[in-house]
């Protein structure tokens, strides 16, 4: 059996369906026949078309609902109450009603019915009699427009009201245990909410329609839109706004409007923040460029305004109307502090006309966002309280050409601060540190090689200018300057190295050489005096030639005319020893090694002092962009694929945990090896920057033998600084764990760790440039040594042993296996073969300690061979060891042995001084010097290789 309520619902749907058909036929379709030409008329026409479309959808859903009710009444036993569309499809029916209500109220707001009816007033006067059946209460003399409004409003409100009454009655009838009970209650609740929504929508539309005539034409034209609804008017509830003395305040569902004379100040509600704090009858509003205080004479009025503004802002942020009424179901009842929006700044200042799109907090850009100016400037990155803060990429167009300067940098409070990579439209690239928007600290500025005046500067900056210690390479002149700068000019002590191998050291002032200086040529000639820009000796001076002769007097000359001299030539002096030539090292003392690269060490110390915060790691230690292709891509797409990844805080925690877990000697060495080889580890990042400075100084043009001392002490200083950096990380790790810090190291302990642990680990990173300097410095001795090796290679083994005065009972002849056609006097490269092969391994490692270990094993192989020959263990005295070692060295034929020996001597751990390694290295040095002697450079005439032994 069907209930009477179901039959009443059926009848209600039939009546509403017929009413909708009649309204569509007699009201909406005639209204749409007009084709207006003016903009307002076309707008009204579009609204009426949308209303007619919504009306048609409502008619269709009503028809379907009616059909389901008829089927239910026809087959009550077969079809349950759940089959009725009004119940099972309540959400869809509700949505169709909401869309119809919004279309209808939009027409009401702009008086679309009145304007359309006015254009066809003759037609509507003729239709009065026919329309009285539809337009309830229409008089014969009244205006048609308002009657049309009522014609659509009254059937809708009546229909929704009856829905609610019948559904509530149906719920009471079927009882609590009916299977469709919950469905009926839910539907009744939905349409009850729809009734409230309809009532509020009609009230807001009526209030908004009534507002427009009260405004002058300018604000009305600016504000009047079909979708906009008035929520509150200060004419109804007075409110005072300061500091802007607004005459009238209008709160719409999308904007807040302050009217002041002929001025209309409009604020998008999505970018309005309501301060939760309030003071009596006042509350505070924030916008991107303004802040206001709303005050009322009584607390109740202030509460109403604050509540409505808050709900309107929240509704605007959600992007849809609150249902059923404004503020319904909103938790919490405060505006969200953080949001994502776009806004164009209008006030004068650096952001004037700029558009920001991204995250906001309390009226300021805060978080990730993009800032674009009309002139083409763009900034993409992080913001804090309205200012660029954190990593960001900024494009700045050049005025003269279609090119950009691209800054990929860390920012602090609106200006570049920290590490950055900047590509200039002039094809120059700067990689380094900034402070207050200017280059400051360590940085590298390099121009493209194809530019007319290609150059590269690696060094320190101060407030945008080169200042402090730095290296500049001038490719056009083939020169490299190493020294001090001030105010973008060479100033103070400096060294000039040319591609021709010439070295000059002197003082510079305002980019010019001043006072006396010294110049060393490639042939070891020494010039002392005053020089021109082209390094020509001018005025009084002295020249010391490679053979020891000196020329002292007055000098002059010009480009291409040679050097003119007038003075005294002294030919009595002896040729200088190689040692004295080696001591001509430039830069030592002029640039204290401790202060050379403070711009590189300083940021790491700052990072450690700050407690190693992960969010500052990139800003203080830098970041790595894989290639120049990535740099170009970042400019085109305003992105930067950089390492390390974003989770720097978590990664820093892991690094400090690793430091604590690897404190024992073996584990520490393994940890440092891994850390120094990683471009993501702070120690590895520091080492890579130091490698960059080393290459900029000593590679290419800088590969000059007179800079070897400068380079050697620099590598040792880097080892000391890296050990101090590790100790800093360790102290931070202990502090984070609440453990007591380690005691300060004494000098002996620190030097032992630096030379025994760190230096061998970092030496491979500098070895190529450093060993090249040793090669150049000892080129002459190595040439004599090589000549001696070549001559000795002509000897067979027995002849060479005899020539070197090796005692015959030590000769390992029984190790030689002879064929029937051989004799001992013809055998070569067989005696002490194991020792020779062992010594050859000295060039397979760059670690000084490992080289010394090779030398120790070589000594062991020599003693083992002698012990085997004698048939008993035998310790060689120095008199016997030296000739045997000379034999092994001559057969090993190691290239550049002098460079190897001196590098080992300079870089070995001081703990070995006076020990076995020192003794063996001294013996190898003696062999090296012995092989340079004149008697090694000719074959003795008393020996004939054909003489039998």
């Amino acid at each position: 059996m069907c209930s009477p309520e179901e039959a009443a619902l059926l009848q209600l749907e039939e009546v509403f369906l017929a009413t909708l058909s009649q309204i569509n036929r007699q009201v909406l379709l005639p209204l749409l026949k007009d084709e207006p030409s003016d903009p307002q008329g076309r707008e009204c026409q579009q609204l009426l078309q949308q209303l007619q479309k919504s009306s048609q959808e409502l008619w269709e859903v009503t028809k379907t609902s009616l059909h389901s009710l008829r089927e239910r009444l026809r087959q009550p036993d077969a079809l349950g109450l759940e089959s009725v569309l009004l119940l099972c499809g309540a959400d869809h029916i509700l949505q169709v009603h909401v869309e119809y209500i919004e279309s209808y109220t939009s027409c009401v707001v702009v008086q679309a019915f009145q304007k359309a009816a006015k254009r066809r007033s003759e037609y509507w006067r003729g239709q009065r009699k026919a329309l009285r059946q539809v337009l309830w209460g229409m008089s014969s003399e009244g205006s048609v427009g308002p009657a049309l409004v009522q014609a659509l409003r009254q059937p809708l409100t009546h229909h929704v009201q009856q829905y609610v009454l019948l559904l509530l009655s149906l719920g009471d009838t079927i009882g609590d245990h009916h299977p469709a009970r919950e469905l009926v209650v839910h539907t009744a609740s939905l349409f009850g909410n729809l009734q409230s929504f309809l009532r509020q929508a009609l009230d807001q539309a009526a209030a908004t329609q009534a507002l427009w005539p009260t405004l002058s034409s300018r604000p009305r034209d600016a504000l009047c839109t079909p979708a906009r609804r008035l929520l509150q008017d200060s004419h109804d509830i007075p409110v005072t706004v300061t500091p802007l003395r607004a005459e009238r305040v209008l709160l719409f569902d999308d904007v807040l409007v302050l009217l002041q004379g002929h001025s209309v100040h409009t604020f998008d509600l999505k970018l309005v923040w309501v301060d939760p704090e309030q003071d009596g009858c006042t509350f505070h509003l924030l916008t991107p460029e303004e802040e206001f205080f709303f005050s009322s004479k009584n607390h109740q009025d202030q509460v109403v305004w604050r509540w409505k503004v808050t709900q309107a802002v929240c509704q605007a942020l959600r992007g849809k109307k609150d249902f059923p009424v404004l503020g319904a179901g909103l938790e919490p009842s405060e505006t969200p502090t953080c949001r994502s929006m776009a806004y164009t700044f209008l006030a004068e200042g650096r952001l004037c006309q700029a558009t920001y799109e991204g995250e906001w907090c309390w009226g300021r850009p805060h978080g990730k966002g993009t800032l674009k100016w009309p002139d083409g400037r763009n900034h993409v990155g992080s913001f804090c309280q309205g200012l660029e803060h954190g990593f960001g990429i900024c494009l700045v167009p050049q005025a003269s050409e279609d090119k950009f300067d691209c800054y990929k940098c860390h920012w602090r409070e609106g200006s570049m601060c920290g590490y950055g990579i900047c590509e200039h439209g002039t094809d120059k690239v700067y990689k380094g540190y900034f402070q207050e928007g200017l280059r400051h600290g360590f940085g590298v500025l390099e121009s493209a090689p194809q530019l007319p005046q290609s150059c590269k500067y690696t060094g320190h900056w101060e407030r945008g200018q080169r200042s402090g210690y730095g290296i500049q390479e001038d490719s056009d002149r083939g020169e490299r300057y190493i020294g001090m700068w001030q105010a973008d000019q060479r100033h103070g002590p400096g060294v000039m190295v040319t591609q021709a191998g010439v070295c000059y050291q002197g003082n510079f002032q305002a980019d010019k050489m001043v006072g006396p200086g010294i110049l060393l040529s490639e042939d070891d000639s020494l010039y002392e005096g005053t020089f021109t820009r082209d390094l020509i000796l001018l005025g009084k001076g002295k020249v010391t030639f490679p053979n020891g002769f000196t020329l002292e007097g007055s000098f002059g000359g010009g480009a291409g005319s040679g050097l003119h001299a007038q003075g005294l030539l002294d030919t009595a002096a002896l040729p200088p020893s190689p040692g004295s030539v080696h001591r001509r090292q430039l830069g030592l003392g002029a640039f204290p090694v401790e202060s050379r690269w403070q711009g590189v060490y300083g940021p790491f110390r700052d990072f450690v002092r700050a407690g190693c915060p992960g969010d500052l790691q990139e800003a203080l230690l830098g970041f790595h962009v894989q290639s120049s292709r990535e740099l170009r891509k970042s400019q085109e797409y305003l992105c930067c694929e950089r390492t390390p990844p974003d989770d720097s805080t978590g990664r820093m925690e892991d690094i400090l945990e690793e430091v604590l877990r690897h404190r024992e000697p073996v584990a520490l060495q393994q940890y440092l090896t891994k850390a120094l080889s990683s471009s993501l580890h702070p120690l590895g990042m520091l080492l890579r920057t130091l490698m960059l400075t080393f290459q900029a100084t000593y590679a290419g043009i800088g590969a000059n033998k007179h800079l070897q001392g400068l380079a050697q002490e620099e590598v040792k200083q880097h080892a000391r600084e890296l050990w101090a950096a590790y100790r800093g990380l360790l102290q931070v790790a202990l502090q984070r764990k609440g453990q007591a810090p380690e005691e300060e190291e004494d000098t002996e302990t620190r030097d032992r760790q630096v030379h025994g642990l760190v230096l061998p680990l970092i030496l491979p990173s500098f070895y190529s440039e450093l060993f090249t300097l040793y090669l150049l410095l000892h080129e002459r001795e190595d040439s004599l040594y090589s000549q001696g090796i070549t001559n000795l290679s002509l000897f067979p083994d027995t002849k060479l042993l005899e020539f070197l005065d090796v005692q015959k009972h030590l000769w390992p002849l029984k190790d030689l296996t002879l064929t029937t056609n051989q004799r001992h006097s013809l055998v070569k490269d067989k005696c002490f073969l194991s020792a020779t092969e062992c010594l050859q391994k000295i060039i397979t490692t760059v670690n000084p300690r490992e080289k010394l270990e090779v030398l120790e094993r070589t000594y062991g192989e020599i003693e083992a061979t002698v012990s085997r020959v004698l048939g008993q263990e035998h310790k060689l005295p120095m008199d016997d060891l030296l000739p045997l070692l000379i034999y092994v060295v001559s057969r090993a034929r190691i290239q550049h042995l002098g460079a190897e020996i001196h590098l080992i001597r300079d870089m070995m751990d001081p703990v070995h001084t006076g020990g076995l390694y020192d003794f063996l290295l001294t013996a190898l040095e003696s062999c090296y010097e012995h092989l340079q002697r004149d008697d090694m450079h000719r074959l003795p005439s008393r020996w004939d290789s054909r003489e039998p032994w």
Side-chain angles (χ1 to χ4, degrees):
M1 288 291 293
C2 293
S3 64
E5 286 78 10
E6 292 178 68
L9 281 172
L10 175 64
Q11 184 179 4
L12 181 64
E13 296 285 51
E14 288 175 341
V15 172
F16 189 57
L17 187 65
T19 303
L20 287 174
S21 299
Q22 194 173 13
I23 290 173
N24 185 60
R25 184 175 61 256
Q26 296 186 7
V27 178
L28 296 179
L29 292 178
L31 287 173
L32 292 173
K33 287 182 179 180
D34 189 28
E35 295 183 2
S37 57
D38 60 299
Q40 286 190 354
R42 286 196 295 270
E43 182 186 52
C44 291
Q45 193 75 354
Q46 291 173 357
L47 293 172
L48 291 170
Q49 288 173 353
Q50 181 60 41
L51 177 60
Q52 197 273 335
K53 180 182 177 183
S54 299
S55 175
Q56 185 63 29
E57 291 176 355
L58 184 58
W59 182 86
E60 289 176 358
V61 77
T62 304
K63 180 182 177 183
T64 306
S65 176
L66 177 61
H67 176 73
S68 69
L69 283 167
R70 285 174 177 167
E71 289 296 312
R72 160 70 178 159
L73 292 174
R74 191 169 62 86
Q75 305 178 62
D77 297 331
L79 297 174
L81 196 55
E82 300 87 348
S83 66
V84 175
L85 181 65
L86 185 60
L87 301 178
C88 65
D91 292 318
H92 174 65
I93 295 175
L94 180 77
Q95 185 59 36
V96 173
H97 278 79
V98 169
E99 291 175 0
Y100 178 77
I101 292 169
E102 291 179 345
S103 298
Y104 167 71
T105 53
S106 295
C107 292
V108 171
V109 166
V110 297
Q111 296 185 318
F113 298 110
Q114 292 90 326
K115 293 175 183 178
K118 186 176 181 180
R119 286 193 296 271
R120 299 189 66 195
S121 58
E122 292 294 330
Y123 169 80
W124 291 108
R125 275 197 295 269
Q127 294 295 318
R128 279 182 183 276
K129 186 175 180 180
L131 289 175
R132 284 179 184 170
Q133 300 174 0
V134 180
L135 308 179
W136 302 347
M138 179 180 178
S139 66
S140 57
E141 300 297 332
S143 177
V144 175
L148 293 176
V149 174
Q150 292 298 321
L152 276 71
R153 174 175 179 166
Q154 288 181 356
L156 180 63
T157 55
H158 176 74
H159 181 66
V160 173
Q161 182 183 15
Q162 292 302 309
Y163 261 162
V164 175
L165 293 173
L166 290 174
L167 287 169
L168 289 173
S169 178
L170 179 61
D172 293 338
T173 302
I174 62 176
D176 294 339
H177 301 292
H178 194 280
R181 166 73 179 177
E182 289 187 6
L183 200 56
V184 173
V185 172
H186 171 69
T187 305
S189 175
L190 283 182
F191 280 94
N193 289 337
L194 179 63
Q195 188 175 19
S196 300
F197 177 81
L198 174 59
R199 188 181 303 116
Q200 177 181 266
L202 294 174
D203 291 344
Q204 288 178 354
T208 307
Q209 178 191 350
L211 169 69
W212 304 134
T214 67
L215 302 178
S216 59
S217 59
R218 182 176 178 180
R220 182 171 63 246
D221 293 341
L223 298 174
C224 182
T225 63
R228 181 166 288 159
R229 303 290 183 269
L230 179 66
L231 303 182
Q232 190 62 59
D233 186 348
S234 62
H235 280 187
D236 299 327
I237 300 180
V239 68
T240 302
V241 180
T242 56
L244 186 66
R245 295 290 182 179
E247 299 168 0
R248 191 173 185 180
V249 183
L250 301 174
L251 175 64
F252 293 94
D253 59 355
D254 60 336
V255 293
L256 175 67
V257 178
L258 305 181
L259 300 179
Q260 187 182 36
H262 295 291
S263 300
V264 181
H265 303 278
T266 305
F267 304 94
D268 187 345
L269 289 181
K270 294 178 181 177
L271 287 168
V272 171
W273 281 259
V274 181
D275 192 339
E277 301 294 329
Q278 51 185 337
D279 180 17
C281 298
T282 302
F283 67 95
H284 184 206
L285 289 187
L286 290 172
T287 70
E289 298 184 80
E290 305 278 358
E291 57 178 310
F292 305 106
F293 291 91
F294 277 51
S295 304
S296 300
K297 291 183 178 180
N298 61 74
H299 180 69
Q300 186 61 36
D301 291 348
Q302 182 264 349
V303 169
V304 172
W305 267 102
R306 186 179 184 281
W307 184 87
K308 284 203 173 181
V309 172
T310 300
Q311 307 313 318
V313 169
C314 294
Q315 177 179 264
L317 289 172
R318 285 194 294 273
K320 61 179 181 179
K321 291 184 181 297
D322 292 346
F323 187 86
V325 292
L326 181 67
L330 180 65
E331 293 293 339
S333 58
E334 303 292 346
T335 57
T337 57
C338 299
R339 7 187 140 156
S340 293
M341 284 295 298
Y343 178 78
T344 300
F345 292 87
L346 303 175
E348 291 296 327
R350 73 180 191 94
L351 297 181
C352 183
Q353 301 301 315
T355 299
Y356 174 79
E357 184 174 357
E359 299 172 349
W360 297 75
C361 183
W362 287 116
R364 302 289 180 267
H366 191 90
K368 304 291 185 182
T370 302
L371 198 58
K372 296 182 180 180
W373 282 265
D375 62 3
R377 284 179 295 159
N378 289 271
H379 182 96
V380 178
S382 299
F383 293 80
C384 181
Q385 293 301 310
L387 297 174
E388 298 91 334
H389 194 91
F391 182 78
I393 302 176
C394 183
L395 288 185
V396 180
Q398 290 188 342
S400 57
E401 303 178 47
D402 186 20
K403 292 184 177 181
F404 290 83
D405 292 339
C406 181
Y407 299 86
K408 288 166 282 291
C409 188
H410 280 264
W411 301 67
R412 181 183 297 170
E413 297 179 357
S415 62
M416 291 181 287
C417 190
Y419 185 81
I421 299 177
C422 303
E423 286 184 291
H424 298 276
T426 56
D427 290 327
K428 290 183 178 180
V429 177
Y430 174 80
K431 300 179 181 179
Y433 292 88
F434 289 85
Q435 183 174 302
E436 296 180 358
L438 299 173
R439 298 168 188 158
H440 193 92
F442 172 76
V444 180
L445 179 64
E446 185 174 10
S447 59
Q450 67 270 18
L451 291 181
Q453 295 180 332
S454 177
C455 65
K456 178 181 180 180
Y457 175 80
T458 304
H460 298 274
W461 300 76
E462 186 173 335
R463 299 198 60 77
Q465 295 180 321
R466 291 167 290 184
S467 189
Y469 183 75
I471 293 93
Q472 175 150 312
E473 183 166 331
D474 188 335
S475 300
D476 289 347
R477 296 181 61 89
E479 294 177 348
R480 179 175 295 169
Y481 173 80
I482 304 168
M484 304 305 293
W485 296 75
Q486 181 177 307
D488 236 13
Q489 294 179 323
R490 294 174 295 180
H491 193 93
V495 174
M496 182 79 75
V497 186
T498 72
Q499 211 160 15
V502 175
C503 265
Y504 167 83
Q505 178 174 331
N507 283 297
F508 291 77
Q509 187 171 347
D511 223 26
K512 295 179 181 179
M513 292 181 286
V514 295
I518 62 171
L519 184 145
L520 294 167
S521 66
E522 193 172 17
D523 66 354
D524 291 326
S525 295
L526 172 63
Y527 299 79
E528 300 171 81
T530 305
F531 295 83
T532 67
R533 173 71 178 87
D534 295 318
L535 300 179
I536 296 175
L537 188 60
L538 186 66
K540 291 185 177 181
K542 178 182 178 181
V543 179
T544 303
F545 297 101
N547 59 4
F549 293 179
T550 61
L551 176 61
E552 190 169 358
S554 297
F555 296 85
S561 62
L563 180 65
H564 303 159
Q566 184 177 0
L568 179 63
L569 177 65
D570 183 2
T571 59
L574 296 174
S577 65
S580 65
V581 175
H582 294 166
R583 284 192 291 273
R584 292 175 181 170
Q585 291 294 305
L586 302 182
L588 297 177
F591 322 116
V593 67
E594 298 84 4
S595 59
R596 253 176 246 168
W597 296 112
Q598 285 303 312
V600 179
Y601 309 139
F604 192 98
R605 295 191 190 116
D606 293 341
F607 179 65
V608 171
R609 276 196 292 266
C612 301
D615 57 340
L616 289 182
Q617 182 174 339
E618 278 192 352
L620 292 175
L621 305 185
F623 54 87
H624 178 60
V625 177
Q626 296 293 345
S627 64
S628 57
R629 180 178 180 182
E630 290 292 340
L631 282 172
R632 291 193 298 272
K633 177 183 175 184
S634 66
Q635 177 170 330
E636 294 169 5
Y637 299 102
L638 284 179
C639 66
C640 187
E641 296 297 332
R642 66 195 198 279
T643 55
D646 290 337
D647 186 20
S648 53
T649 301
R651 187 178 57 259
M652 200 62 233
E653 292 290 342
D654 295 341
I655 288 172
L656 295 176
E657 288 283 349
E658 288 279 313
V659 170
L660 291 177
R661 286 200 301 267
H662 297 82
R663 297 169 66 182
E664 296 302 320
V666 176
L668 177 57
Q669 183 177 18
Q670 294 173 348
Y671 172 76
L672 288 177
T673 302
K674 181 180 177 182
L676 291 168
S677 63
S678 171
S679 61
L680 303 184
H681 195 285
L683 294 177
M685 297 167 78
L686 178 58
L687 177 60
R688 273 156 180 73
T689 305
L690 296 174
M691 289 168 58
L692 184 149
T693 64
F694 199 78
Q695 291 165 1
T697 311
Y698 306 109
I701 298 175
N704 190 291
K705 62 185 178 183
H706 300 297
L707 300 180
Q708 178 268 338
L710 205 66
Q712 176 220 124
E713 67 175 10
E714 202 163 289
V715 172
K716 292 181 179 179
Q717 179 64 22
H718 292 340
R720 285 190 284 270
E721 292 289 346
L722 283 164
W723 176 249
Y726 161 75
R727 293 279 300 173
L729 291 177
L730 177 59
Q731 300 292 19
V732 172
L734 291 170
Q735 183 181 4
R736 288 197 180 186
K737 291 293 184 181
Q739 300 179 23
E742 286 200 345
E743 294 182 1
E744 193 71 26
E745 289 180 313
D746 56 59
T747 304
E748 183 181 349
T749 303
R750 184 195 63 200
D751 289 346
R752 184 169 62 250
Q753 296 286 26
V754 168
H755 290 90
L757 178 60
V758 182
L759 187 59
L761 293 178
I762 70 167
L763 193 56
S765 300
F766 306 101
Y767 192 79
S768 176
E769 293 79 18
L770 184 62
F771 191 66
T772 299
L773 296 177
Y774 276 92
L775 289 180
L776 296 172
L777 183 61
H778 301 283
E779 186 175 19
R780 182 182 173 191
E781 302 98 293
D782 275 338
S783 176
L784 294 173
Y785 154 78
S786 297
Q787 188 178 347
I789 291 293
T790 302
N791 291 337
L792 294 182
S793 68
L794 300 175
F795 286 101
D797 288 353
T798 53
K799 292 283 187 177
L800 182 56
L801 289 169
E802 183 179 359
F803 175 70
L804 296 175
D805 292 329
V806 176
Q807 298 184 43
K808 289 188 178 181
H809 71 282
L810 302 179
W811 294 9
L813 298 181
K814 62 182 179 181
D815 289 349
L816 307 181
T817 303
L818 303 178
T819 64
T820 55
N821 297 323
Q822 279 187 319
R823 57 182 183 269
H824 286 122
S825 60
L826 298 179
V827 176
K828 292 174 64 176
D829 298 325
K830 296 298 181 182
C831 289
F832 296 98
L833 180 60
S834 61
T836 300
E837 291 177 344
C838 184
L839 184 60
Q840 288 171 339
K841 295 177 182 177
I842 201 169
I843 63 173
T844 62
T845 178
V846 301
N847 188 331
R849 180 182 177 85
E850 292 177 357
K851 290 178 182 289
L852 289 170
E853 289 172 351
V854 169
L855 187 56
E856 182 184 19
R857 289 196 297 272
T858 302
Y859 171 68
E861 290 292 336
I862 293 174
E863 282 201 335
T865 301
V866 171
S867 297
R868 188 171 62 253
V869 170
L870 299 178
Q872 62 182 4
E873 186 176 345
H874 182 75
K875 292 294 181 182
L876 290 168
M878 190 62 176
D879 291 344
D880 289 342
L881 173 63
L882 187 59
L884 286 174
L885 190 57
I886 294 174
Y887 172 87
V888 171
V889 170
S890 67
R891 287 305 192 227
R893 300 180 182 87
I894 298 169
Q895 289 187 330
H896 314 300
L897 181 60
E900 292 280 2
I901 291 172
H902 285 88
L903 188 142
I904 296 171
R905 175 67 70 188
D906 291 339
M907 293 294 170
M908 77 176 188
D909 192 340
V911 74
H912 299 310
T913 303
L916 175 62
Y917 286 155
D918 193 7
F919 165 74
L920 293 175
L921 185 59
T922 301
L924 185 61
E925 288 172 333
S926 299
C927 295
Y928 176 71
E929 292 171 1
H930 196 83
L931 289 168
Q932 297 177 54
R933 287 165 41 183
D934 289 342
D935 57 357
M936 292 291 176
H937 297 164
R938 55 183 179 271
L939 190 67
S941 57
R942 63 186 176 88
W943 281 345
D944 187 342
S945 60
R946 293 172 296 177
E947 179 185 351
W949 182 80

